Amino acid sequence: MSQFDEFIYTIPKEHHEWGDHIASPRAYFRGNQSMKGSRHIMGFDVILNEAVDGYPHFHHSVEEYHWFTGSDLTKFFDFDAEIEIWLGDDPDNLEKYTITEPTLIRCPPNFWHGPINYKRVGKPVAFSAIYFDGEWSSISRRVKPDGSVDYPYLGSSQKRCVYDNSASCTHCGKCFREYRENPGSIENMEIDFALKWRDELVNGRSIPASGAYDKYIFKYPVEYHQWGDRFANPRGKFRGETQLPGVKFFGGFSVVINSNNMEVPHLHHANDEYLWFTGSDLQNFFDYDSEIEIYLGWDPDNMEKIVITEPTVIRVPPDMWHCPINFKRIDKPVGFLPIYPDGDWSKVLRKEDENGRYEYVYQAATLKKCVYDKKKTCWYCGKCSSDKSIKKN
């Protein structure tokens, strides 16, 4: 037992009935349902075959990010698929955008998005919806026979099982699978109207992309680092405001392939951070063989070592000291994904001044400059880490 057990979530194997187009088991962290007090929902679906998922909807006060990549994170850019997604401010004029490379899409509040049509899947595709609240909810639109319109609210805690209205939805996917195989077959399907709308869009009622929403679309550049053989190369990173102005998210995968130590003790003064440790092949998410140590504590002089030996999410609330992370044994590559719900990743360090007194230093990604060219923002390429001529601060 640890005093920090409430912040540590061992990811369970989640078997589903969504159909054979999604790998099973899959991995999900469902916010407050998984960990009391959490304001983060995220999971991984690995798409194996052509299919249509989701329906047009928006979120009334929360940002969501849709993330598409190859399923093997050691080969992040090995992407072979064609995916269509509908986006727009006006539900009557949703535009169809096509994805053919690793991509992140920002969905700000009140922005319509969906469905997602996996039109061609040459190689498995990993999809994740990153949502910053403790409970997922969506709003869709229903046009009634008399022409009136309402906007059904679908909250995760309010959503009922279509087979047993006394039970909460468990996201098993059985009803969606049945609907996909035989549309209209489920009498109590709450979102039958949205799924019919979805089918209309996919079958041709689409407006070509105008480019108006390119500002919400980030295509991952192929990024080579100089951290040596500790991490897979190239890697896929997303650095918030520096790459997509206006976002409230910062994070990207580092795939650890050899033992190493990462980071120094620090805290975040205003935001939670969520640290994901996964198997590197998301299609086989639970094929995990490594031992990782991370230190947590409310007092930097009295931190507790936490040992991770299976896929895990750690919530780091504001003012909790954390790190270093010791990737002690890596027998299979590990996906390390820090999720930070702000456009600029920042931290506070404790340092000792020349008089032996402690001071607290604020650092932020947007403030950190390249040591070789102070006009450029650091992108953590790692070159200076092994350069003995550079004085480390």
Side-chain angles (χ1 to χ4, degrees):
M1 294 290 291
S2 163
Q3 63 176 310
F4 301 107
D5 281 350
E6 65 182 294
F7 302 112
I8 301 169
Y9 183 74
T10 301
I11 303 171
K13 294 180 179 179
E14 184 177 296
H15 296 275
H16 65 81
E17 296 190 48
W18 289 90
D20 61 5
H21 71 291
I22 299 178
S24 187
R26 61 181 187 170
Y28 265 80
F29 179 77
R30 300 190 185 280
N32 199 52
Q33 178 182 329
S34 298
M35 181 185 292
K36 187 176 181 180
S38 167
R39 296 186 64 82
H40 169 48
I41 296 175
M42 180 177 170
F44 293 99
D45 285 330
V46 175
I47 312 302
L48 306 175
N49 304 300
E50 289 73 18
V52 180
D53 282 334
Y55 51 86
H57 65 280
F58 69 84
H59 309 291
H60 70 290
S61 62
V62 176
E63 299 231 327
E64 184 176 45
Y65 297 85
H66 284 185
W67 180 78
F68 302 88
T69 183
S71 65
D72 184 349
L73 297 175
T74 63
K75 303 173 182 177
F76 188 92
F77 297 95
D78 188 14
F79 190 98
D80 184 13
E82 182 179 345
I83 303 164
E84 299 172 338
I85 185 170
W86 281 258
L87 307 172
D89 296 305
D90 178 358
D92 288 317
N93 293 286
L94 297 179
E95 298 184 5
K96 182 173 70 177
Y97 284 73
T98 301
I99 297 167
T100 58
E101 57 191 299
T103 298
L104 183 78
I105 297 177
R106 176 194 177 200
C107 302
N110 302 314
F111 182 70
W112 290 91
H113 53 286
I116 301 170
N117 179 21
Y118 295 95
K119 188 175 182 180
R120 183 182 63 80
V121 180
K123 294 180 180 179
V125 172
F127 167 72
S128 184
I130 305 166
Y131 189 78
F132 292 119
D133 198 4
E135 179 179 342
W136 188 88
S137 65
S138 69
I139 297 168
S140 192
R141 187 184 70 163
R142 176 170 53 202
V143 181
K144 298 180 180 180
D146 64 2
S148 63
V149 177
D150 66 3
Y151 297 87
Y153 171 86
L154 302 169
S156 57
S157 64
Q158 285 82 31
K159 188 172 174 58
R160 315 312 293 171
C161 175
V162 300
Y163 304 104
D164 180 1
N165 196 52
S166 66
S168 297
C169 173
T170 62
H171 311 281
C172 72
K174 182 179 178 181
C175 61
F176 277 86
R177 176 180 57 79
E178 288 194 16
Y179 184 93
R180 181 181 288 111
E181 294 171 354
N182 185 12
S185 61
I186 301 177
E187 195 171 312
N188 296 321
M189 194 73 168
E190 286 183 339
I191 57 172
D192 182 70
F193 66 92
L195 297 179
K196 289 178 179 176
W197 182 10
R198 173 193 75 180
D199 294 342
E200 289 176 4
L201 289 170
V202 172
N203 292 327
R205 190 168 66 87
S206 300
I207 296 175
S210 67
Y213 305 114
D214 287 354
K215 60 185 177 181
Y216 297 138
I217 298 173
F218 174 76
K219 298 177 181 179
Y220 284 87
V222 179
E223 180 181 297
Y224 289 90
H225 65 77
Q226 297 186 48
W227 291 100
D229 62 359
R230 289 174 282 180
F231 307 104
N233 224 348
R235 62 184 179 181
K237 288 283 190 177
F238 177 65
R239 296 192 174 83
E241 281 275 358
T242 64
Q243 294 178 313
L244 202 64
V247 300
K248 295 294 183 182
F249 166 51
F250 193 106
F253 267 109
S254 293
V255 182
V256 183
I257 56 178
N258 286 300
S259 300
N260 71 91
N261 281 286
M262 179 187 290
E263 266 293 356
V264 296
H266 63 273
L267 61 82
H268 308 292
H269 71 289
N271 284 316
D272 279 356
E273 184 176 41
Y274 296 86
L275 306 178
W276 284 71
F277 300 90
T278 79
S280 65
D281 182 355
L282 298 177
Q283 184 176 346
N284 300 289
F285 187 95
F286 297 96
D287 185 15
Y288 187 100
D289 189 4
S290 55
E291 182 179 344
I292 301 165
E293 298 171 343
I294 182 171
Y295 290 81
L296 304 176
W298 298 110
D299 174 359
D301 293 319
N302 294 284
M303 299 178 72
E304 180 181 334
K305 180 174 71 176
I306 306 298
V307 179
I308 299 169
T309 57
E310 53 192 315
T312 299
V313 177
I314 294 180
R315 175 192 172 204
V316 181
D319 299 325
M320 177 186 280
W321 292 90
H322 54 290
C323 293
I325 304 173
N326 176 20
F327 293 94
K328 186 176 181 180
R329 178 179 60 82
I330 305 295
D331 287 345
K332 292 184 178 179
V334 172
F336 171 59
L337 175 60
I339 296 286
Y340 194 71
D342 197 3
D344 188 9
W345 185 80
S346 62
K347 63 184 178 182
V348 176
L349 307 175
R350 187 181 73 168
K351 293 187 175 183
E352 195 171 338
D353 66 18
E354 63 275 10
N355 299 314
R357 294 175 300 191
Y358 288 125
E359 61 179 359
Y360 296 86
V361 180
Y362 173 84
Q363 296 181 353
T366 55
L367 298 176
K368 188 174 176 62
K369 300 300 181 183
C370 174
V371 299
Y372 301 103
D373 184 350
K374 298 297 183 182
K375 295 180 180 179
K376 296 181 179 180
T377 300
C378 172
W379 60 277
Y380 302 93
C381 70
K383 180 179 179 181
C384 64
S385 66
S386 58
D387 188 341
K388 295 181 180 179
S389 68
I390 301 295
K391 181 180 179 181
K392 309 298 188 297
N393 54 25

